Amino acid sequence: QKEVEQNSGPLSVPEGAIASLNCTYSDRVSQSFFWYRQYSGKSPELIMSIYSNGDKEDGRFTAQLNKASQYVSLLIRDSQPSDSATYLCAVRRGGSYIPTFGRGTSLIVHP
Amino acid sequence: DVKVTQSSRYLVKRTGEKVFLECVQDMDHENMFWYRQDPGLGLRLIYFSYDVKMKEKGDIPEGYSVSREKKERFSLILESASTNQTSMYLCASSQGNLNTEAFFGQGTRLTVV
């Protein structure tokens, strides 16, 4: 049973559009949620973390968390070709230090 | 900024060799992790350490061991490298409290021939 699920994509959006990336998780006691961006051949870098229900905005990025429905999403506004990458969702259950990663969604932003 | 440094960016080893992958972090983090990443399989945890000399097996520990003699350094050891251990290896670290994120090193692309 995969604990963190992401659509592998690719998700293709035109430049300037909103990209919506989704992640569902199975463990109800999950408490910490993270989005990482990974360019091809590079290591993951943290974009955002979110710990409570609702929205959290940082520049063009908005993370949304709904614990009752067990999903977390990432919206990227005004998408740029430089946003083309794989986006990894990570979830950490309560009381654990270990993040569990989804397999990632490939995003392609075309000019 | 947190810096996690892996000793090699690319490594080529022969089957049966003992391989050491080194990772150093400079932010006094308690937790350190070794993951491997393969196409279609995502990031899989090999080992986790929450303190000096303390370790826990992850999802795929077989064929690997780890060493953490100092807080800043976490080593991954392939006892006898095999071709199915060809992969991207990623080290990460995080603080000891629960609401903190993990930071990754640049990765080591290991090829076993």
Side-chain angles (χ1 to χ4, degrees):
Chain A
Q1 178 187 4
K2 186 63 181 173
E3 296 180 24
V4 181
E5 296 274 4
Q6 295 181 256
N7 188 320
S8 62
L11 173 66
S12 182
V13 301
E15 184 174 357
I18 295 175
S20 178
L21 304 161
N22 300 310
C23 171
T24 60
Y25 59 94
S26 59
D27 191 339
R28 287 195 168 274
V29 297
S30 298
Q31 289 192 349
S32 306
F33 307 86
F34 309 93
W35 282 101
Y36 288 81
R37 177 176 61 200
Q38 186 175 24
Y39 293 113
S40 180
K42 303 293 186 182
S43 62
E45 55 179 331
L46 181 76
I47 299 176
M48 293 189 70
S49 57
I50 186 167
Y51 305 108
S52 54
N53 278 330
D55 295 359
K56 179 181 178 182
E57 188 173 318
D58 183 1
R60 295 187 297 114
F61 299 96
T62 299
Q64 299 174 317
L65 175 60
N66 184 322
K67 288 187 179 181
S69 300
Q70 294 178 239
Y71 82 78
V72 56
S73 61
L74 179 71
L75 301 179
I76 306 175
R77 289 181 300 281
D78 189 24
S79 296
Q80 301 297 309
S82 58
D83 294 325
S84 298
T86 296
Y87 289 80
L88 302 173
C89 171
V91 174
R92 191 164 58 207
R93 74 193 312 266
S96 171
Y97 295 115
I98 300 173
T100 298
F101 287 82
R103 296 183 182 184
T105 298
S106 174
L107 172 67
I108 299 171
V109 181
H110 52 87
Chain B
D1 280 352
V2 174
K3 192 163 185 183
V4 181
T5 303
Q6 295 182 227
S7 53
S8 303
R9 187 72 180 91
Y10 299 94
L11 211 52
V12 179
K13 295 293 182 181
R14 294 194 179 278
T15 301
E17 277 192 79
K18 191 169 186 176
V19 181
F20 294 85
L21 302 183
E22 307 286 345
C23 176
V24 176
Q25 50 94 3
D26 66 357
M27 284 302 291
D28 201 36
H29 283 173
E30 287 78 10
N31 304 319
M32 296 189 76
F33 311 83
W34 275 107
Y35 291 89
R36 63 176 283 177
Q37 187 175 33
D38 301 287
L41 297 178
L43 279 161
R44 293 180 291 167
L45 182 67
I46 305 172
Y47 268 98
F48 161 60
S49 171
Y50 55 91
D51 202 349
V52 175
K53 297 189 188 293
M54 307 305 289
K55 62 186 179 185
E56 285 186 8
K57 292 181 180 179
D59 300 318
I60 51 164
E62 297 79 18
Y64 303 94
S65 62
V66 290
S67 172
R68 193 166 180 202
E69 297 296 320
K70 293 185 178 181
K71 191 175 184 180
E72 67 271 19
R73 185 179 297 269
F74 192 33
S75 303
L76 179 69
I77 303 153
L78 286 66
E79 299 291 342
S80 177
S82 63
T83 55
N84 63 13
Q85 292 178 310
T86 292
S87 186
M88 169 70 92
Y89 289 87
L90 291 160
C91 175
S93 72
S94 69
Q95 289 181 347
N97 62 60
L98 291 173
N99 277 350
T100 59
E101 55 274 12
F103 295 90
F104 284 85
Q106 77 274 29
T108 297
R109 172 73 65 183
L110 172 67
T111 302
V112 183
V113 297

